[in-house]
Structure formats: C-alpha cells, structure tokens
Amino acid sequence: MLDVRRLRLLRELAHRGTIAAVADALSFSPSAVSQQLSILEREAGVALLERSGRRVELTQSGRDLVVHAESVLEVLERAAADLAGARDGLAGPLRIGTFPSAARMLAAGLAVLARDHPRLEPMVDQIDPAEVAGALRGSELDVALVHDYDFVPPEPTPGLDGEPLLEECLHLAAPSDWRGADADDAIARWRDAPWITAPPGMLCHRMAVRACQSAGFAPRIRHHIDDFAAVLGFVAMEQGVAIVPQLAAVDPPPGVALTELPMHRRTRISYRRGADRHPAVSAFMRAMRSVVS
C-alpha cells in the first residue's frame, strides 16, 4: 500500500525540483525526505527517481505516479471538505494569502465574513502570486487571491483550482507636468522616460517590461519598488512613469496623471483542488464576490 504522506513528498519534488526545496517547504531535513522517498520506491516496486550526483529527477514511472497522487490528494481534500460540512457552524482558522494591492478589497470581504461567521478566524499573509501554488499545496494556506496580466497569463498549476473574482484595467501613471514624445500609443510616448517597476522576477515587473516591448522599446528602469502606493509617490516626485492597476489607482497623490490602458489585470481565488466544497473556503468566496459585485 502506498503511503499518502510519501506521495505528497513525491508530488512536491515534481513541482519544486530539488529535495532541498521540498525539505525547506515542508519543514523536513533533506535526509528525511530522501529516506521517505526511498521507502516509497520500495513500496512501489519500481524506480521512481534517477540520481546523478547531487541531482535527482523523476523517472517516467515517477511522473506517472505523481499524476495519480494528484488525484488521490484531490479525493482526500474533498473528503475533508465533506467532513467539515457536517460540523455545526464554521469555526477556527482560515489561512488566506493575498497580494498588497488587494488589501482594501480583502478587508471588505473579511468584514462580511466576520458578520456571517463570527467564529471563523481569518489569518492573512501577504505573498507574491508566484509563491502561492507551493504554499497552497504545502497547506500553509487554505485559499489565496492571485492575479495575472494580459502580458503574463497564468501558468498551469497541477493540484490547484480557482475561480475568477475581478477584472480591472491598468493605467499609465506619469507626472502631471511631464510631456511625453508624440505617439498614438499611451505607453510608447514614454519610451525615453525613466520607469518604475516591481523588482525583477515578480509578475508586475514582467508585465511592465512586456507591455513596453509590445510598444517597441525596452524600458529604462530607474527604480524597483514592490508597493504601488510608493510607486505613485515616486511618480508624484517626478522620478519616473509606471503602470498601475485600477485597485492601486483609486486615490492617486497630487501631481500624478493617469491614462487608462487597453490592458487588464485579473484577480482569481485559488485553492487546492477539491477544497471548493469546504464550507470555510466557500464562505470566503461568497464574501469576496459580494464586495466586488
């Protein structure tokens, strides 16, 4: 009989790539992870891993078993959801991941959640959308708000599901006193200006760079800032131009001119596959839909 806990470790190795990353994410030692995977291989009766020096890769049998592991873990998630639904009322922690510019929207949703389910204890962690999949699969989070952009579409995330929550337009933020070069495109006119983007590796950074590339130029980035409120403050101080979503552009500081762009950001609610039936996750989704409708 295959052990579910060891199947979870194999699944995490498939997604995270190294035994060290699996150990770090799940609070094991690397030797413990290796030992458990070796036991899983004996249980399976076939080689699941190929070891070359310090590198470990999954065999075809290992990759096939990961597919089955995803199905098993989904069934277990649905079973846990059904058991939770049989309890009397919602209570206890609900671990929620979010990105900074969704904070105001999330606060409104939590107010609805507190009104309808006062014994539920939401616990919010700020997390970059790129890290959400691992946190959900590792049960560090129960549900999360994530986003994607026209130029940065979502990547497939095995083991996770989600549903759309909000679509918002993006804006070009520039100092009110600056004049860009004549151009029909609202982004292209700022090809010679300094730019403010999120740090490299973040979705917002890739979105800004690709938007500029689509307008025919590579942005000259002066500042890397992971906070849209701070970004708008820098724009007001004439430190550069930036692309910001509608949620972050509700109350811009004086000296900032906003131009709506023909591109969008989409926010989704993400959760482990099968967890949508969990009453706490369902209650959170209803609360969030109520504040954006």
Side-chain angles (χ1 to χ4, degrees), residues 181-224:
D182 292 336
D184 294 334
D185 189 295
I187 294 178
R189 67 180 299 189
W190 299 107
R191 65 173 60 247
D192 297 322
W195 280 74
I196 307 167
T197 75
M202 300 189 69
L203 292 178
C204 301
H205 175 86
R206 295 204 296 272
M207 173 274 299
V209 170
R210 291 178 183 178
C212 292
Q213 291 172 341
S214 73
F217 69 99
R220 179 167 57 89
I221 301 173
R222 176 181 290 177
H223 304 292
H224 293 106

Side-chain angles (χ1 to χ4, degrees), residues 16-40:
R16 297 180 187 273
T18 67
I19 285 177
V22 174
D24 183 62
L26 301 182
S27 300
F28 286 97
S29 68
S31 60
V33 173
S34 294
Q35 182 183 42
Q36 292 301 310
L37 290 174
S38 294
I39 294 173
L40 180 62

Side-chain angles (χ1 to χ4, degrees), residues 133-215:
L136 284 170
R137 286 196 305 265
S139 296
E140 299 165 40
L141 297 174
D142 300 308
V143 65
L145 299 180
V146 297
H147 63 254
D148 63 80
Y149 296 92
D150 287 348
F151 290 103
V152 192
E155 297 179 356
T157 49
L160 303 184
D161 266 336
E163 66 172 57
L165 177 65
L166 175 70
E167 181 172 290
E168 57 187 313
C169 61
L170 300 180
H171 294 264
L172 191 291
S176 301
D177 294 338
W178 282 15
R179 292 180 60 85
D182 292 336
D184 294 334
D185 189 295
I187 294 178
R189 67 180 299 189
W190 299 107
R191 65 173 60 247
D192 297 322
W195 280 74
I196 307 167
T197 75
M202 300 189 69
L203 292 178
C204 301
H205 175 86
R206 295 204 296 272
M207 173 274 299
V209 170
R210 291 178 183 178
C212 292
Q213 291 172 341
S214 73

